[in-house]
Amino acid sequence: MVQHQQNQLKPLQQEQRIHFLDILRGLAIKFIFMANILFFSGAFFMAPENRNSNFVLASDDLLSFVSYLIIDGKFYSIFSLLFGIGCFVQYQKLQKQEKPFAPFFRRRMFWLLAFGLIHLVGFWLGDILTLYALLGFVIIPFINVSDKKLLSFACVLILLPILNWLLIYYFGVDYPHYLFQTSTEIWSYYGFPQSEWQGKTYNDIHISIA
C-alpha cells in the first residue's frame, strides 16, 4: 500500500501552482466556449424552411472574421500550449522522483482518449479531448530529443499552415473540399440522412426515441 502511494503523482500544491497559467487556462476555456456559441444556439439544427434569412446582417461576415482572428485563431493555440506546459510539469515532477515518464503519460492519455471518445460519440461532435489524447501519444518520443532538434521540428510545424494555404489557394489543391464531397456522397449512397445549410448538403444524424 505504501509503495503504491509512493508511485502516484500527486497534484501540485496551492503554493506550487503558477496562477498566471491557471488564469490563462480559464480565459482560453471561456473563449473556446464563445467560439462554439453559434453551434450551441441551435441554428445549424433548424430545418431550412424555418431559417429566417433576414436574421443574417451585413456585419455578420466582419464579425465572423474578427471572431476567427481573435478567438479561434488565438485561444485554441493558447489552450494547446497550456496542454504542452502541463505535460512538461508532469515530466519534471517524475524526473525529480526518478520515475519513468512514458508509462505514466501513456496511461494518462489512454484514459483521456477513453473519455474523449465517449464525449465525441455520445455527446459532442466538436470534442477536443480525443485529439489532445492522440497528440499526447505523439509527444512521448520527443521527450529526450535535443532542444536544437525540437526547434527544427517546431519551425516545420509552424510553417505547415502556410504550406496548407498555398496548396489550397495558390496551387488549387482543395483537398478539404474533396474529402467533404466524398463523405457526403458515401453518406448519400447508403441512404443516411442529410440536411442543407446555405446551399450545401451536410451529413446529418437523426436520433428518434420511441
Side-chain angles (χ1 to χ4, degrees):
M1 182 66 178
V2 175
Q3 182 67 27
H4 175 69
Q5 291 178 347
Q6 289 176 349
N7 290 333
Q8 289 181 333
L9 187 64
K10 297 181 180 179
L12 288 174
Q13 299 299 316
Q14 184 65 26
E15 62 275 8
Q16 296 176 312
R17 300 193 67 86
I18 304 175
H19 298 298
F20 173 76
L21 294 179
D22 290 336
I23 294 171
L24 196 60
R25 186 179 294 108
L27 287 173
I29 294 174
K30 174 185 177 181
F31 282 97
I32 287 175
F33 172 78
M34 292 177 62
N36 288 282
I37 198 67
L38 179 61
F39 192 88
F40 293 154
S41 70
F44 291 104
F45 300 100
M46 295 174 63
E49 61 272 15
N50 295 331
R51 293 171 186 153
N52 186 0
S53 60
N54 296 326
F55 179 77
V56 180
L57 304 176
S59 59
D60 283 355
D61 287 339
L62 176 61
L63 290 175
S64 177
F65 174 77
V66 172
S67 173
Y68 180 79
L69 180 67
I70 298 178
I71 299 177
D72 299 64
K74 295 295 185 293
F75 286 93
Y76 279 103
S77 302
I78 292 174
F79 205 59
S80 301
L81 179 64
L82 290 170
F83 179 79
I85 293 174
C87 296
F88 179 71
V89 170
Q90 296 170 58
Y91 172 75
Q92 277 193 321
K93 290 188 68 176
L94 287 167
Q95 285 290 98
K96 291 178 180 178
Q97 298 175 20
E98 297 182 350
K99 298 176 182 177
F101 173 77
F104 164 82
F105 200 67
R106 286 195 190 98
R107 289 195 301 271
R108 194 176 183 90
M109 291 302 101
F110 170 80
W111 288 111
L112 182 63
L113 179 61
F115 282 110
L117 288 174
I118 294 172
H119 188 218
L120 174 66
V121 175
F123 299 96
W124 173 235
L125 290 177
D127 168 77
I128 196 67
L129 299 179
T130 302
L131 178 60
Y132 277 133
L134 294 174
L135 292 177
F137 286 112
V138 176
I139 288 175
I140 297 174
F142 290 90
I143 293 299
N144 296 318
V145 174
S146 66
D147 292 344
K148 184 177 180 180
K149 289 184 178 180
L150 284 177
L151 184 60
S152 300
F153 282 121
C155 290
V156 171
L157 293 174
I158 289 173
L159 293 175
L160 279 181
I162 300 175
L163 176 60
N164 182 65
W165 184 89
L166 289 173
L167 282 174
I168 296 175
Y169 296 102
Y170 186 78
F171 294 104
V173 184
D174 194 355
Y175 65 91
H177 175 75
Y178 170 77
L179 294 174
F180 174 80
Q181 189 69 26
T182 302
S183 69
T184 54
E185 290 175 359
I186 295 174
W187 200 262
S188 175
Y189 176 80
Y190 286 102
F192 295 137
Q194 294 179 309
S195 61
E196 185 178 340
W197 173 255
Q198 296 183 342
K200 291 184 179 181
T201 301
Y202 292 86
N203 299 333
D204 199 358
I205 298 176
H206 295 291
I207 301 176
S208 59
I209 301 177

